[in-house]
Protein backbone atom coordinates (compact mmCIF):
# COMPACT_ATOMS: atom_id res chain seq x y z
CA UNK A 1 0.00 0.00 0.00
CA UNK A 2 1.23 3.47 -0.91
CA UNK A 3 -0.24 6.62 0.61
CA UNK A 4 0.25 9.67 -1.59
CA UNK A 5 -0.80 12.99 -0.09
CA UNK A 6 0.97 15.23 -2.57
CA UNK A 7 -0.96 17.57 -4.92
CA UNK A 8 -0.07 15.88 -8.20
CA UNK A 9 -0.04 18.25 -11.15
CA UNK A 10 -1.51 20.98 -8.98
CA UNK A 11 0.42 24.14 -9.79
CA UNK A 12 2.44 25.39 -6.83
CA UNK A 13 0.97 28.38 -5.01
CA UNK A 14 3.30 31.09 -3.82
CA UNK A 15 3.70 31.30 -0.05
CA UNK A 16 1.28 28.45 0.55
CA UNK A 17 1.89 26.40 3.67
CA UNK A 18 -0.03 23.59 1.99
CA UNK A 19 2.75 23.08 -0.50
CA UNK A 20 5.06 20.27 0.62
CA UNK A 21 8.60 21.04 1.64
CA UNK A 22 11.34 19.06 -0.10
CA UNK A 23 14.52 17.75 1.53
CA UNK A 24 16.89 16.32 -1.08
CA UNK A 25 19.77 14.46 0.60
CA UNK A 26 22.61 13.55 -1.75
CA UNK A 27 25.44 11.36 -0.46
CA UNK A 28 28.84 10.88 -2.09
CA UNK A 29 30.25 7.52 -3.31
CA UNK A 30 27.39 5.74 -1.53
CA UNK A 31 26.60 2.46 -3.26
CA UNK A 32 23.22 0.71 -3.06
CA UNK A 33 24.51 -1.94 -0.65
CA UNK A 34 25.87 0.84 1.56
CA UNK A 35 22.41 0.97 3.16
CA UNK A 36 21.66 -2.04 5.36
CA UNK A 37 17.95 -2.16 4.52
CA UNK A 38 18.76 -2.26 0.81
CA UNK A 39 21.74 -4.60 0.53
CA UNK A 40 21.66 -6.60 3.74
CA UNK A 41 25.36 -5.98 4.36
CA UNK A 42 26.96 -5.52 7.77
CA UNK A 43 26.83 -1.72 7.60
CA UNK A 44 24.54 -0.17 10.23
CA UNK A 45 22.17 2.52 8.93
CA UNK A 46 19.16 2.64 11.29
CA UNK A 47 18.01 6.13 10.31
CA UNK A 48 18.20 5.59 6.56
CA UNK A 49 16.60 2.17 7.11
CA UNK A 50 13.71 3.93 8.83
CA UNK A 51 13.23 6.22 5.82
CA UNK A 52 13.23 3.15 3.57
CA UNK A 53 10.85 1.19 5.78
CA UNK A 54 8.38 4.07 5.98
CA UNK A 55 8.75 5.25 2.40
CA UNK A 56 9.43 3.92 -1.08
CA UNK A 57 12.62 2.28 -2.32
CA UNK A 58 13.69 2.18 -5.96
CA UNK A 59 15.95 -0.86 -6.24
CA UNK A 60 17.20 -0.28 -9.79
CA UNK A 61 18.43 3.31 -9.91
CA UNK A 62 21.71 4.02 -11.67
CA UNK A 63 24.17 6.70 -12.63
CA UNK A 64 24.16 6.82 -16.42
CA UNK A 65 27.91 7.37 -16.47
CA UNK A 66 30.69 9.91 -16.74
CA UNK A 67 33.40 11.17 -19.07
CA UNK A 68 35.69 12.09 -16.19
CA UNK A 69 37.22 10.20 -13.28
CA UNK A 70 35.53 12.71 -10.95
CA UNK A 71 32.19 11.00 -11.53
CA UNK A 72 30.46 13.04 -8.82
CA UNK A 73 30.60 16.10 -11.10
CA UNK A 74 28.49 14.74 -13.99
CA UNK A 75 26.35 12.83 -11.47
CA UNK A 76 25.40 16.09 -9.78
CA UNK A 77 24.86 17.80 -13.12
CA UNK A 78 22.44 15.02 -14.08
CA UNK A 79 20.60 15.30 -10.76
CA UNK A 80 20.39 19.10 -10.74
CA UNK A 81 19.49 19.59 -14.41
CA UNK A 82 17.42 16.45 -14.93
CA UNK A 83 19.38 15.81 -18.13
CA UNK A 84 21.05 12.60 -19.17
CA UNK A 85 24.80 12.16 -19.56
CA UNK A 86 24.75 12.88 -23.29
CA UNK A 87 22.68 16.05 -22.86
CA UNK A 88 25.08 17.76 -20.46
CA UNK A 89 27.46 20.55 -21.35
CA UNK A 90 30.81 18.73 -21.54
CA UNK A 91 31.67 16.80 -18.39
CA UNK A 92 29.02 18.52 -16.28
CA UNK A 93 31.07 21.20 -14.54
CA UNK A 94 29.06 23.99 -16.12
CA UNK A 95 25.27 24.01 -16.13
CA UNK A 96 24.27 26.40 -18.93
CA UNK A 97 21.73 29.06 -17.96
CA UNK A 98 19.23 27.66 -20.45
CA UNK A 99 19.16 24.38 -18.50
CA UNK A 100 16.70 25.11 -15.69
CA UNK A 101 17.99 23.57 -12.47
CA UNK A 102 15.77 21.95 -9.88
CA UNK A 103 16.47 24.74 -7.40
CA UNK A 104 15.50 27.34 -9.98
CA UNK A 105 12.23 25.54 -10.66
CA UNK A 106 11.35 25.53 -6.99
CA UNK A 107 12.23 29.22 -6.66
CA UNK A 108 9.92 30.05 -9.57
CA UNK A 109 7.19 28.15 -7.73
CA UNK A 110 7.52 30.25 -4.60
CA UNK A 111 9.94 28.10 -2.62
CA UNK A 112 12.93 29.06 -0.53
CA UNK A 113 15.76 27.17 -2.27
CA UNK A 114 18.65 26.46 0.09
CA UNK A 115 21.96 24.61 -0.29
CA UNK A 116 24.22 23.10 2.35
CA UNK A 117 27.42 21.17 1.62
CA UNK A 118 29.11 20.04 -1.55
CA UNK A 119 28.80 21.87 -4.86
CA UNK A 120 30.78 20.53 -7.82
CA UNK A 121 29.50 22.86 -10.55
CA UNK A 122 30.28 26.42 -11.62
CA UNK A 123 29.61 29.49 -9.48
CA UNK A 124 27.07 31.01 -11.86
CA UNK A 125 24.80 27.99 -11.70
CA UNK A 126 25.26 27.87 -7.92
CA UNK A 127 24.09 31.48 -7.60
CA UNK A 128 20.98 31.05 -9.70
CA UNK A 129 19.96 27.62 -8.37
CA UNK A 130 19.49 28.78 -4.78
CA UNK A 131 18.44 31.93 -2.95
CA UNK A 132 20.18 30.93 0.25
CA UNK A 133 22.71 28.53 1.71
CA UNK A 134 25.41 27.89 4.27
CA UNK A 135 28.71 26.04 4.64
CA UNK A 136 29.40 25.58 0.93
CA UNK A 137 32.35 23.34 0.04
CA UNK A 138 34.41 22.82 -3.15
CA UNK A 139 34.95 26.49 -3.96
CA UNK A 140 38.64 26.32 -4.77
CA UNK A 141 40.50 24.67 -1.90
CA UNK A 142 40.26 20.99 -0.94
CA UNK A 143 42.47 19.51 1.81
CA UNK A 144 41.33 15.87 1.61
CA UNK A 145 40.36 15.84 5.28
CA UNK A 146 36.84 15.34 6.67
CA UNK A 147 37.81 17.07 9.93
CA UNK A 148 39.54 19.99 8.16
CA UNK A 149 37.28 20.87 5.26
CA UNK A 150 37.47 24.37 3.72
CA UNK A 151 34.06 26.03 3.66
CA UNK A 152 32.53 29.24 2.32
CA UNK A 153 29.55 31.31 3.35
CA UNK A 154 26.73 31.53 0.83
CA UNK A 155 27.27 34.29 -1.76
CA UNK A 156 24.17 35.37 -3.71
CA UNK A 157 26.40 36.81 -6.44
CA UNK A 158 28.41 33.58 -6.79
CA UNK A 159 31.71 35.38 -6.18
CA UNK A 160 33.68 32.89 -4.08
CA UNK A 161 37.29 33.83 -3.41
CA UNK A 162 39.89 31.44 -2.03
CA UNK A 163 40.80 33.91 0.70
CA UNK A 164 37.19 33.91 1.97
CA UNK A 165 37.32 30.22 2.82
CA UNK A 166 37.56 29.02 6.41
CA UNK A 167 37.87 25.86 8.50
CA UNK A 168 35.82 25.07 11.60
CA UNK A 169 37.93 23.95 14.57
CA UNK A 170 37.62 23.55 18.33
CA UNK A 171 39.20 26.18 20.55
CA UNK A 172 40.66 25.44 23.99
CA UNK A 173 37.20 25.72 25.53
CA UNK A 174 35.83 23.14 23.11
CA UNK A 175 33.82 25.71 21.19
CA UNK A 176 33.56 25.63 17.39
CA UNK A 177 35.35 28.63 15.88
CA UNK A 178 36.57 29.64 12.45
CA UNK A 179 40.15 29.86 11.32
CA UNK A 180 41.52 31.01 8.01
CA UNK A 181 43.04 28.59 5.53
CA UNK A 182 46.81 28.69 5.79
CA UNK A 183 49.43 28.14 3.11
CA UNK A 184 50.85 25.53 5.49
CA UNK A 185 47.66 23.46 5.35
CA UNK A 186 48.70 20.27 3.60
CA UNK A 187 46.46 18.06 1.51
CA UNK A 188 46.22 14.98 3.69
CA UNK A 189 43.82 13.36 6.17
CA UNK A 190 45.81 14.40 9.24
CA UNK A 191 43.12 15.81 11.54
CA UNK A 192 40.85 13.93 13.95
CA UNK A 193 37.67 14.50 15.94
CA UNK A 194 39.82 16.24 18.56
CA UNK A 195 40.67 19.04 16.12
CA UNK A 196 37.28 19.95 14.71
CA UNK A 197 33.82 18.76 13.68
CA UNK A 198 33.36 16.26 10.85
CA UNK A 199 31.85 17.53 7.60
CA UNK A 200 28.75 15.37 8.11
CA UNK A 201 28.22 16.95 11.54
CA UNK A 202 28.67 20.47 10.17
CA UNK A 203 26.18 19.99 7.36
CA UNK A 204 23.59 18.24 9.53
CA UNK A 205 23.81 20.94 12.19
CA UNK A 206 23.47 23.63 9.53
CA UNK A 207 20.42 21.87 8.07
CA UNK A 208 18.79 21.61 11.49
CA UNK A 209 19.34 25.33 12.10
CA UNK A 210 17.80 26.16 8.75
CA UNK A 211 14.74 24.00 9.43
CA UNK A 212 14.31 25.57 12.87
CA UNK A 213 14.73 29.21 11.87
CA UNK A 214 13.28 29.40 8.36
CA UNK A 215 10.21 31.44 7.47
CA UNK A 216 7.40 28.92 8.00
CA UNK A 217 5.14 30.86 5.64
CA UNK A 218 7.27 29.81 2.67
CA UNK A 219 7.83 26.18 1.66
CA UNK A 220 11.44 25.12 1.33
CA UNK A 221 13.56 23.10 -1.07
CA UNK A 222 16.69 22.06 0.84
CA UNK A 223 19.57 20.47 -1.05
CA UNK A 224 21.69 18.77 1.61
CA UNK A 225 24.80 17.46 -0.14
CA UNK A 226 27.03 15.44 2.19
CA UNK A 227 30.65 14.75 1.31
CA UNK A 228 30.54 11.38 3.09
CA UNK A 229 31.18 8.55 2.51
CA UNK A 230 33.72 9.86 -0.04
CA UNK A 231 37.36 9.36 0.90
CA UNK A 232 39.17 10.11 3.07
CA UNK A 233 36.90 7.70 4.90
CA UNK A 234 37.44 9.20 8.34
CA UNK A 235 34.95 8.79 11.16
CA UNK A 236 35.02 9.37 14.93
CA UNK A 237 36.68 6.51 16.81
CA UNK A 238 33.48 5.11 18.29
CA UNK A 239 32.14 4.48 14.79
CA UNK A 240 35.37 2.90 13.57
CA UNK A 241 35.27 0.63 16.63
CA UNK A 242 31.93 -0.77 15.45
CA UNK A 243 33.71 -2.49 12.55
CA UNK A 244 36.79 -4.48 13.63
CA UNK A 245 38.78 -5.07 10.46
CA UNK A 246 39.47 -8.73 11.16
CA UNK A 247 35.75 -9.50 11.34
CA UNK A 248 34.63 -7.70 8.16
CA UNK A 249 32.96 -10.04 5.66
CA UNK A 250 34.13 -9.55 2.08
CA UNK A 251 31.37 -9.42 -0.56
CA UNK A 252 31.07 -12.07 -3.30
CA UNK A 253 32.80 -9.88 -5.90
CA UNK A 254 35.95 -9.29 -3.86
CA UNK A 255 39.10 -9.83 -5.95
CA UNK A 256 42.74 -9.07 -5.13
CA UNK A 257 43.22 -7.55 -8.56
CA UNK A 258 41.09 -6.58 -11.53
CA UNK A 259 41.67 -9.26 -14.20
CA UNK A 260 42.36 -6.83 -17.07
CA UNK A 261 43.05 -3.16 -17.88
CA UNK A 262 39.69 -1.38 -17.85
CA UNK A 263 41.20 1.84 -19.24
CA UNK A 264 41.53 3.74 -15.96
CA UNK A 265 43.44 1.50 -13.59
CA UNK A 266 45.76 4.17 -12.20
CA UNK A 267 43.23 6.95 -11.54
CA UNK A 268 43.53 8.68 -8.16
CA UNK A 269 40.98 6.45 -6.39
CA UNK A 270 42.89 3.31 -7.37
CA UNK A 271 46.07 4.75 -5.86
CA UNK A 272 44.59 4.90 -2.37
CA UNK A 273 46.26 1.60 -1.48
CA UNK A 274 48.65 -1.05 -2.72
CA UNK A 275 48.20 -3.67 -5.42
CA UNK A 276 47.07 -6.38 -5.09
CA UNK A 277 44.10 -5.71 -2.81
CA UNK A 278 44.81 -8.34 -0.21
CA UNK A 279 41.93 -9.43 2.04
CA UNK A 280 43.36 -7.28 4.83
CA UNK A 281 43.46 -4.21 2.56
CA UNK A 282 39.89 -4.79 1.41
CA UNK A 283 38.69 -5.33 4.99
CA UNK A 284 40.36 -2.11 6.13
CA UNK A 285 38.67 -0.09 3.41
CA UNK A 286 35.31 -1.72 4.06
CA UNK A 287 35.67 -1.07 7.79
CA UNK A 288 36.41 2.61 7.11
CA UNK A 289 33.56 2.77 4.59
CA UNK A 290 31.01 1.28 6.94
CA UNK A 291 32.18 3.50 9.81
CA UNK A 292 31.80 6.76 7.89
CA UNK A 293 28.41 5.62 6.56
CA UNK A 294 27.13 4.81 10.06
CA UNK A 295 28.37 8.20 11.26
CA UNK A 296 26.65 9.84 8.27
CA UNK A 297 23.47 7.94 9.10
CA UNK A 298 23.51 9.36 12.63
CA UNK A 299 23.75 12.90 11.26
CA UNK A 300 20.87 12.28 8.84
CA UNK A 301 18.91 11.04 11.84
CA UNK A 302 19.46 14.40 13.58
CA UNK A 303 18.01 16.27 10.59
CA UNK A 304 14.96 13.99 10.44
CA UNK A 305 14.51 14.44 14.19
CA UNK A 306 14.49 18.22 13.72
CA UNK A 307 11.78 17.91 11.08
CA UNK A 308 9.68 15.88 13.49
CA UNK A 309 10.27 18.15 16.50
CA UNK A 310 9.23 21.19 14.46
CA UNK A 311 6.19 19.33 13.10
CA UNK A 312 7.36 19.66 9.50
CA UNK A 313 8.08 15.97 8.84
CA UNK A 314 4.58 15.07 7.65
CA UNK A 315 4.63 17.87 5.09
CA UNK A 316 8.16 17.25 3.81
CA UNK A 317 9.00 15.02 0.86
CA UNK A 318 12.30 13.45 1.85
CA UNK A 319 14.46 12.14 -0.98
CA UNK A 320 17.75 10.35 -0.35
CA UNK A 321 20.06 9.21 -3.12
CA UNK A 322 23.74 8.49 -3.69
CA UNK A 323 25.79 9.92 -6.55
CA UNK A 324 27.69 6.74 -7.48
CA UNK A 325 28.71 3.30 -6.36
CA UNK A 326 32.17 2.43 -5.05
CA UNK A 327 34.52 -0.52 -5.46
CA UNK A 328 36.10 -0.77 -1.99
CA UNK A 329 37.66 -4.10 -3.02
CA UNK A 330 34.98 -5.37 -5.41
CA UNK A 331 36.58 -6.77 -8.58
CA UNK A 332 39.93 -5.58 -7.24
CA UNK A 333 38.86 -1.93 -7.51
CA UNK A 334 38.75 0.79 -4.86
CA UNK A 335 37.15 3.60 -6.87
CA UNK A 336 34.01 4.24 -8.90
CA UNK A 337 35.52 4.71 -12.36
CA UNK A 338 33.75 1.72 -13.88
CA UNK A 339 30.35 0.39 -14.95
CA UNK A 340 29.94 -2.52 -12.56
CA UNK A 341 26.79 -2.06 -10.49
CA UNK A 342 27.95 -1.81 -6.88
CA UNK A 343 31.44 -0.63 -7.83
CA UNK A 344 30.29 2.28 -9.96
CA UNK A 345 26.68 2.98 -10.90
CA UNK A 346 24.08 1.36 -8.60
CA UNK A 347 22.83 3.89 -6.05
CA UNK A 348 20.25 4.07 -3.26
CA UNK A 349 17.10 6.06 -4.03
CA UNK A 350 14.49 6.45 -1.29
CA UNK A 351 11.41 8.69 -1.11
CA UNK A 352 9.92 9.09 2.34
CA UNK A 353 8.40 11.59 4.78
CA UNK A 354 5.16 12.89 3.27
CA UNK A 355 5.14 9.99 0.81
CA UNK A 356 4.26 6.82 2.74
CA UNK A 357 5.25 3.65 0.95
CA UNK A 358 5.65 1.39 4.00
CA UNK A 359 8.84 -0.13 2.66
CA UNK A 360 7.51 -0.98 -0.78
CA UNK A 361 10.33 -1.78 -3.21
CA UNK A 362 9.91 -0.70 -6.82
CA UNK A 363 12.01 -2.52 -9.42
CA UNK A 364 11.55 -0.02 -12.23
CA UNK A 365 14.71 0.91 -14.12
CA UNK A 366 15.61 4.50 -13.34
CA UNK A 367 18.48 6.95 -13.56
CA UNK A 368 19.69 9.72 -11.27
CA UNK A 369 18.41 12.28 -13.78
CA UNK A 370 14.87 10.89 -13.28
CA UNK A 371 14.85 12.18 -9.69
CA UNK A 372 14.30 15.83 -10.69
CA UNK A 373 11.10 15.31 -12.71
CA UNK A 374 9.83 12.84 -10.12
CA UNK A 375 10.22 15.40 -7.33
CA UNK A 376 8.48 18.02 -9.44
CA UNK A 377 5.51 15.72 -9.99
CA UNK A 378 5.34 14.83 -6.30
CA UNK A 379 5.39 18.51 -5.31
CA UNK A 380 2.88 19.52 -7.98
CA UNK A 381 5.32 21.58 -10.02
CA UNK A 382 5.57 21.75 -13.79
CA UNK A 383 8.53 19.87 -15.29
CA UNK A 384 10.72 22.19 -17.40
CA UNK A 385 11.08 21.32 -21.06
CA UNK A 386 14.87 21.26 -20.65
CA UNK A 387 14.57 18.15 -18.46
CA UNK A 388 15.24 14.93 -20.40
CA UNK A 389 14.73 12.53 -17.49
CA UNK A 390 11.46 10.66 -16.97
CA UNK A 391 9.15 11.08 -14.00
CA UNK A 392 8.61 7.93 -11.96
CA UNK A 393 5.22 9.08 -10.69
CA UNK A 394 3.37 6.46 -12.81
CA UNK A 395 5.47 3.80 -11.06
CA UNK A 396 4.73 5.27 -7.64
CA UNK A 397 1.00 5.44 -8.33
CA UNK A 398 0.97 1.86 -9.61
CA UNK A 399 -0.11 2.83 -13.11
CA UNK A 400 3.03 1.30 -14.67
CA UNK A 401 5.75 -1.14 -13.65
CA UNK A 402 8.40 0.38 -15.95
CA UNK A 403 9.00 3.69 -17.71
CA UNK A 404 11.87 2.17 -19.75
CA UNK A 405 12.89 -1.39 -20.56
CA UNK A 406 16.69 -0.95 -20.50
CA UNK A 407 19.52 1.15 -19.10
CA UNK A 408 22.60 2.34 -20.99
CA UNK A 409 25.86 3.50 -19.46
CA UNK A 410 29.16 5.04 -20.57
CA UNK A 411 32.50 5.67 -18.92
CA UNK A 412 34.98 7.75 -20.88
CA UNK A 413 36.19 6.20 -24.16
CA UNK A 414 36.87 2.77 -22.66
CA UNK A 415 33.61 1.33 -21.32
CA UNK A 416 29.96 0.93 -22.33
CA UNK A 417 27.20 -1.11 -20.69
CA UNK A 418 23.67 -2.16 -21.60
CA UNK A 419 21.13 -3.81 -19.31
CA UNK A 420 17.89 -5.45 -20.37
CA UNK A 421 15.83 -8.16 -18.77
CA UNK A 422 17.97 -10.55 -16.74
CA UNK A 423 21.22 -9.63 -18.50
CA UNK A 424 23.84 -6.92 -18.51
CA UNK A 425 26.55 -6.47 -21.13
CA UNK A 426 29.75 -4.51 -20.45
CA UNK A 427 32.16 -3.87 -23.32
CA UNK A 428 35.71 -2.58 -22.90
CA UNK A 429 38.07 -1.28 -25.59
CA UNK A 430 41.71 -0.34 -25.98
CA UNK A 431 41.87 3.34 -26.88
CA UNK A 432 44.07 6.44 -26.89
CA UNK A 433 44.31 8.44 -23.70
CA UNK A 434 46.53 10.95 -21.92
CA UNK A 435 48.29 10.53 -18.58
CA UNK A 436 48.50 13.06 -15.73
CA UNK A 437 51.38 14.80 -17.52
CA UNK A 438 49.33 15.18 -20.74
CA UNK A 439 51.45 12.54 -22.47
CA UNK A 440 49.72 10.46 -25.14
CA UNK A 441 49.22 6.83 -24.11
CA UNK A 442 47.16 3.77 -25.03
CA UNK A 443 45.11 2.17 -22.27
CA UNK A 444 42.38 -0.40 -21.80
CA UNK A 445 41.80 -3.80 -23.36
CA UNK A 446 39.22 -5.30 -25.69
CA UNK A 447 37.09 -7.38 -23.31
CA UNK A 448 33.45 -8.48 -23.16
CA UNK A 449 31.55 -9.28 -19.97
CA UNK A 450 28.04 -10.71 -19.84
CA UNK A 451 26.24 -11.22 -16.54
CA UNK A 452 22.90 -12.67 -15.54
CA UNK A 453 22.08 -9.85 -13.13
CA UNK A 454 19.06 -11.62 -11.69
CA UNK A 455 21.06 -14.67 -10.61
CA UNK A 456 24.41 -12.94 -10.21
CA UNK A 457 23.84 -9.37 -8.87
CA UNK A 458 27.46 -9.02 -7.74
CA UNK A 459 28.66 -9.72 -11.31
CA UNK A 460 31.05 -12.57 -10.58
CA UNK A 461 30.48 -15.00 -13.48
CA UNK A 462 31.20 -13.94 -17.06
CA UNK A 463 28.89 -15.74 -19.50
CA UNK A 464 30.17 -14.08 -22.67
CA UNK A 465 32.20 -17.06 -23.87
CA UNK A 466 29.61 -19.75 -23.24
CA UNK A 467 28.04 -21.33 -26.31
CA UNK A 468 24.65 -21.26 -24.57
CA UNK A 469 24.70 -17.45 -24.35
CA UNK A 470 25.83 -16.43 -27.83
CA UNK A 471 22.34 -15.54 -29.01
CA UNK A 472 21.63 -13.22 -26.09
CA UNK A 473 25.12 -11.72 -26.45
CA UNK A 474 24.52 -10.97 -30.12
CA UNK A 475 21.12 -9.42 -29.41
CA UNK A 476 22.44 -7.19 -26.63
CA UNK A 477 25.34 -6.00 -28.78
CA UNK A 478 23.01 -5.00 -31.60
CA UNK A 479 20.62 -3.25 -29.24
CA UNK A 480 23.41 -1.47 -27.38
CA UNK A 481 24.68 0.03 -30.64
CA UNK A 482 21.16 1.18 -31.54
CA UNK A 483 20.71 2.83 -28.15
CA UNK A 484 24.11 4.52 -28.47
CA UNK A 485 23.02 6.05 -31.77
CA UNK A 486 19.74 7.15 -30.20
CA UNK A 487 21.63 9.02 -27.48
CA UNK A 488 24.15 10.41 -30.02
CA UNK A 489 26.98 8.78 -28.12
CA UNK A 490 29.82 10.03 -30.30
CA UNK A 491 32.75 12.40 -29.89
CA UNK A 492 31.26 15.10 -32.13
CA UNK A 493 28.06 15.36 -30.10
CA UNK A 494 29.96 15.15 -26.81
CA UNK A 495 32.84 17.46 -27.77
CA UNK A 496 35.09 14.71 -26.45
CA UNK A 497 38.49 13.86 -27.98
CA UNK A 498 37.94 10.08 -28.27
CA UNK A 499 35.05 7.91 -29.42
CA UNK A 500 34.46 4.48 -27.89
CA UNK A 501 32.85 3.27 -31.11
CA UNK A 502 35.98 3.96 -33.15
CA UNK A 503 37.73 1.19 -31.17
CA UNK A 504 34.81 -1.21 -30.69
CA UNK A 505 35.49 -3.98 -33.17
Amino acid sequence: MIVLKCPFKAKAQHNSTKQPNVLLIYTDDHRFTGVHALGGQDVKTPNIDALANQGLVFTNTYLMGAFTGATCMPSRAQLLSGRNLFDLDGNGHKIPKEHITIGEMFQKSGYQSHIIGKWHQDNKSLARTFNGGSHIMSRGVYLQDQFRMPLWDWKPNGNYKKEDGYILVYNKAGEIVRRTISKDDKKAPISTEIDGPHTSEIYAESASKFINKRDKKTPFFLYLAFHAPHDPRQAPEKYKAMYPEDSIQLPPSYMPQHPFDNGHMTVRDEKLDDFPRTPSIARKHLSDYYAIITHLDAQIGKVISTLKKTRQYENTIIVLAGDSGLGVGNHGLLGKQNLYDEDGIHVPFIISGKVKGFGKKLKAYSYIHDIYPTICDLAGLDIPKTVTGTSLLPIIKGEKTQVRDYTYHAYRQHQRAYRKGDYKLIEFVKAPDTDHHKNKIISGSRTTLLFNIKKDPWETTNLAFLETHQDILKTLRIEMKEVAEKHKDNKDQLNYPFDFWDYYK
Side-chain angles (χ1 to χ4, degrees):
M1 180 181 179
I2 302 173
V3 178
L4 300 171
K5 301 180 180 179
C6 300
F8 302 120
K9 292 300 182 184
K11 197 168 184 179
Q13 300 297 315
H14 290 258
N15 300 323
S16 171
T17 56
K18 294 182 180 180
Q19 279 301 117
N21 304 311
V22 176
L23 169 59
L24 174 53
I25 302 172
Y26 210 46
T27 57
D28 201 331
D29 289 1
H30 196 178
R31 68 191 191 191
F32 181 83
T33 53
V35 175
H36 178 76
L38 307 188
Q41 299 299 292
D42 291 337
V43 61
K44 300 176 179 67
T45 52
N47 294 291
I48 300 176
D49 290 355
L51 292 177
N53 293 334
Q54 295 163 14
L56 294 167
V57 175
F58 284 86
T59 60
N60 286 302
T61 300
Y62 304 95
L63 170 64
M64 196 174 199
F67 287 98
T68 171
T71 64
C72 48
M73 182 161 55
S75 173
R76 282 164 168 70
Q78 290 166 66
L79 173 79
L80 295 161
S81 70
R83 296 173 68 84
N84 74 52
L85 175 66
F86 305 100
D87 290 333
L88 300 180
D89 181 85
N91 59 20
H93 174 257
K94 179 183 177 182
I95 302 179
K97 63 180 181 180
E98 59 268 23
H99 296 172
I100 301 172
T101 65
I102 187 169
E104 283 183 286
M105 191 60 202
F106 273 90
Q107 284 186 69
K108 292 178 180 179
S109 301
Y111 278 69
Q112 183 176 359
S113 181
H114 197 86
I115 177 177
I116 296 169
K118 183 171 181 175
W119 183 259
H120 216 312
Q121 274 60 51
D122 61 296
N123 286 339
K124 289 183 178 179
S125 60
L126 172 57
R128 74 172 192 270
T129 297
F130 307 97
N131 51 21
S134 56
H135 295 322
I136 314 297
M137 89 170 249
S138 305
R139 296 299 86 212
V141 182
Y142 179 59
L143 298 179
Q144 299 176 357
D145 196 322
Q146 297 284 3
F147 294 101
R148 195 169 46 100
M149 182 62 67
L151 303 168
W152 281 258
D153 289 330
W154 162 254
K155 301 276 189 182
N157 61 3
N159 184 18
Y160 294 89
K161 300 177 181 178
K162 289 185 178 181
E163 56 266 29
D164 293 333
Y166 58 90
I167 295 172
L168 296 181
V169 298
Y170 296 127
N171 63 16
K172 292 181 179 180
E175 302 166 323
I176 298 176
V177 296
R178 297 186 181 196
R179 76 162 174 85
T180 58
I181 302 169
S182 168
K183 293 181 179 180
D184 296 327
D185 277 314
K186 297 180 180 179
K187 286 187 176 182
I190 56 178
S191 295
T192 70
E193 60 193 292
I194 297 174
D195 302 306
H198 193 282
T199 58
S200 295
E201 296 165 4
I202 294 170
Y203 303 152
E205 177 66 20
S206 184
S208 292
K209 285 183 178 179
F210 168 77
I211 292 168
N212 268 311
K213 297 181 179 181
R214 74 179 189 85
D215 180 1
K216 303 300 191 297
K217 295 180 180 180
T218 304
F220 70 78
F221 169 77
L222 173 55
Y223 178 54
L224 178 53
F226 287 99
H227 186 46
H230 191 286
D231 68 270
R233 289 180 273 279
Q234 300 162 292
E237 282 299 320
K238 77 171 187 178
Y239 291 93
K240 175 64 176 177
M242 293 180 183
Y243 302 100
E245 294 177 11
D246 58 0
S247 64
I248 293 291
Q249 288 190 333
L250 297 177
S253 60
Y254 160 73
M255 292 181 185
Q257 188 165 326
H258 196 263
F260 57 89
D261 180 3
N262 70 5
H264 223 177
M265 295 301 299
T266 58
V267 68
R268 185 200 68 88
D269 295 49
E270 298 303 335
K271 295 179 179 180
L272 292 176
D273 218 317
D274 295 333
F275 296 91
R277 320 302 192 188
T278 62
S280 61
I281 287 176
R283 289 191 178 98
K284 177 190 181 303
H285 282 270
L286 270 177
S287 170
D288 293 344
Y289 190 50
Y290 290 169
I292 195 173
I293 289 175
T294 300
H295 176 250
L296 166 67
D297 177 84
Q299 310 319 307
I300 290 173
K302 293 176 182 178
V303 178
I304 302 305
S305 178
T306 301
L307 283 173
K308 291 180 177 179
K309 287 178 181 178
T310 56
R311 298 183 179 181
Q312 299 178 73
Y313 177 82
E314 292 297 330
N315 193 44
T316 301
I317 301 169
I318 302 169
V319 178
L320 183 143
D323 72 348
S324 72
L326 193 68
V328 207
N330 289 359
H331 299 98
L333 302 171
L334 292 180
K336 65 269 187 179
Q337 293 81 8
N338 63 82
L339 299 180
Y340 295 112
D341 273 15
E342 293 310 305
D343 313 18
I345 57 174
H346 193 193
V347 298
F349 176 26
I350 299 166
I351 304 177
S352 195
K354 187 176 179 68
V355 177
K356 309 296 183 186
F358 308 106
K360 185 175 180 63
K361 294 184 177 180
L362 304 172
K363 299 180 180 180
Y365 287 151
S366 53
Y367 294 113
I368 285 172
H369 57 274
D370 295 332
I371 295 175
Y372 177 165
T374 302
I375 292 176
C376 283
D377 264 346
L378 288 173
L381 277 61
D382 293 330
I383 300 171
K385 293 181 180 179
T386 57
V387 169
T388 60
T390 301
S391 172
L392 301 172
L393 182 60
I395 307 296
I396 296 172
K397 295 176 72 174
E399 297 171 352
K400 294 182 179 181
T401 57
Q402 293 284 358
V403 293
R404 55 174 59 84
D405 60 2
Y406 66 84
T407 68
Y408 178 70
H409 309 273
Y411 181 66
R412 300 178 78 242
Q413 66 269 33
H414 293 101
Q415 304 175 34
R416 294 295 184 273
Y418 178 69
R419 174 197 327 268
K420 187 175 183 182
D422 293 346
Y423 292 92
K424 177 183 171 186
L425 170 68
I426 311 179
E427 296 278 25
F428 302 80
V429 298
K430 187 175 183 179
D433 203 352
T434 54
D435 63 18
H436 294 298
H437 302 290
K438 305 298 182 182
N439 297 315
K440 293 182 179 179
I441 61 172
I442 300 292
S443 60
S445 55
R446 181 66 187 93
T447 306
T448 298
L449 301 179
L450 176 67
F451 300 111
N452 185 318
I453 294 294
K454 184 176 182 179
K455 295 180 179 179
D456 179 25
W458 290 91
E459 298 166 299
T460 63
T461 304
N462 183 17
L463 306 173
F465 303 104
L466 297 180
E467 187 67 29
T468 54
H469 287 73
Q470 293 309 298
D471 287 344
I472 185 66
L473 177 62
K474 181 179 179 180
T475 298
L476 292 179
R477 280 175 163 168
I478 292 172
E479 291 183 2
M480 184 172 76
K481 178 64 174 176
E482 293 172 347
V483 170
E485 293 174 353
K486 175 182 176 182
H487 284 296
K488 298 181 180 179
D489 178 10
N490 60 70
K491 62 185 178 184
D492 294 330
Q493 159 75 7
L494 300 169
N495 191 25
Y496 192 71
F498 309 108
D499 193 333
F500 170 89
W501 299 102
D502 286 344
Y503 310 97
Y504 180 67
K505 308 297 182 183

